[in-house]
Amino acid sequence: MPITVDIFIPCFVDQLYPATALNMVKVLERLGVHVNYNPNQTCCGQPAYNAGHHPAARAVAEKFLEDFAAPATDTGRYIVSPSASCVGMVRNSYNELFAETPARQSACRGVQGRVYELTEFLVGVLGITAVPGAQLAGTYTYHDSCSALRECGIGPGPRQLLDGVVGLKRIEMAETSTCCGFGGTFAVKFEAISVAMAQQKVEHALETGANYLISTDVSCLMHLESYIKKENLPLKCLHIADVLASGW
């Protein structure tokens, strides 16, 4: 019997990078996973939470728990998202949001135990280190997003998957684990610092001579891509789902 996953598509992926969401589904289905999408889903509550509006964030988070509650007949299903940032929000920040609402804590723990970022699901749950048929010619350098590395503890998995893509060669850049400067509302409140951090990250990537800058988080890539396009630089940003779905 195939594994069933409920996919969570973050707001900015849905609105700005829908192809990445479709490519995640493409990869999962190629690996024999049954994909379910609940059209009632909205946001995980992270924007409001990061801005300090915790009551509003809690209301959104409560809806998330309801939208992703496992059916009583299928408690073994997973929740998979193409965003470590949103997964990190659910796994970590929900503990604070529901600390004083015992009635919600059980549902919260149930969801937290089932939610995975795409690459950690592929590597950690499915045991996949290469997607059959994936191919992309060129060289890449990889950006460890803060959320993936620090909030979700995602280590070598994404690189293993990318190294399994036929025709793609990795070149590590300096300070790969340093923040790109996005940080959600940080980029708005501290624009100059945010742009300077993006510039540093892009310069490190360019020093490698790589064709592609790849990461697990569209939020980071959106921030970096805006700087790259503004400066007309020879570097293309790609989400890992888009890479794993290429060539077949």
Side-chain angles (χ1 to χ4, degrees):
M1 187 173 180
I3 291 177
T4 297
V5 303
D6 294 303
I7 56 170
F8 170 52
I9 309 303
C11 313
F12 53 89
V13 175
D14 177 60
Q15 295 297 312
L16 301 176
Y17 299 92
T20 295
L22 293 173
N23 280 331
M24 179 181 75
V25 173
K26 180 181 175 181
V27 170
L28 289 170
E29 291 184 338
R30 185 174 183 84
L31 296 172
V33 174
H34 175 70
V35 176
N36 179 64
Y37 174 73
N38 180 356
N40 293 322
Q41 63 181 269
T42 51
C43 180
C44 66
Q46 184 174 188
Y49 178 81
N50 288 344
H53 303 298
H54 288 193
R58 187 178 299 108
V60 177
E62 286 176 348
K63 184 179 185 303
F64 184 96
L65 295 183
E66 293 170 0
D67 290 340
F68 289 95
T73 56
D74 190 4
T75 56
R77 63 201 289 163
Y78 298 88
I79 302 164
V80 178
S81 177
S83 169
S85 176
C86 294
V87 170
M89 170 69 185
V90 174
R91 281 189 187 166
N92 302 299
S93 301
Y94 276 23
N95 291 328
E96 179 182 356
L97 288 179
F98 296 113
E100 298 180 5
T101 52
R104 287 286 186 177
Q105 288 176 8
S106 178
C108 181
R109 287 192 295 269
V111 167
Q112 288 174 321
R114 296 187 295 112
V115 66
Y116 287 83
E117 181 274 332
L118 173 63
T119 65
E120 65 174 350
F121 176 75
L122 296 181
V123 177
V125 177
L126 298 185
I128 300 296
T129 55
V131 174
Q135 53 183 308
L136 179 66
T139 55
Y140 82 94
T141 193
Y142 182 78
H143 164 59
D144 290 282
S145 79
C146 295
S147 296
L149 191 63
R150 298 174 176 85
E151 291 191 42
C152 297
I154 297 173
R159 288 176 175 81
Q160 290 177 322
L161 291 164
L162 291 169
D163 290 346
V165 175
V166 176
L168 194 60
K169 179 183 178 182
R170 170 163 45 107
I171 307 174
E172 292 287 359
M173 65 175 159
E175 300 182 28
T176 180
S177 61
T178 299
C179 180
C180 70
F182 178 62
T185 54
F186 177 87
V188 178
K189 294 180 178 179
F190 305 99
E191 180 183 358
I193 298 174
S194 177
V195 172
M197 293 173 73
Q199 178 182 358
Q200 181 185 57
K201 174 66 67 171
V202 170
E203 287 176 350
H204 285 323
L206 289 170
E207 287 168 0
T208 69
N211 307 115
Y212 305 106
L213 175 57
I214 303 174
S215 184
T216 55
D217 279 77
V218 168
S219 52
C220 296
L221 295 172
M222 177 177 64
H223 180 57
L224 295 170
E225 186 177 46
S226 65
Y227 178 81
I228 290 168
K229 286 184 175 180
K230 180 177 180 296
E231 300 297 327
N232 195 28
L233 299 172
L235 186 63
K236 184 174 183 179
C237 292
L238 289 173
H239 187 277
I240 192 167
D242 300 321
V243 178
L244 300 178
S246 66
W248 50 276

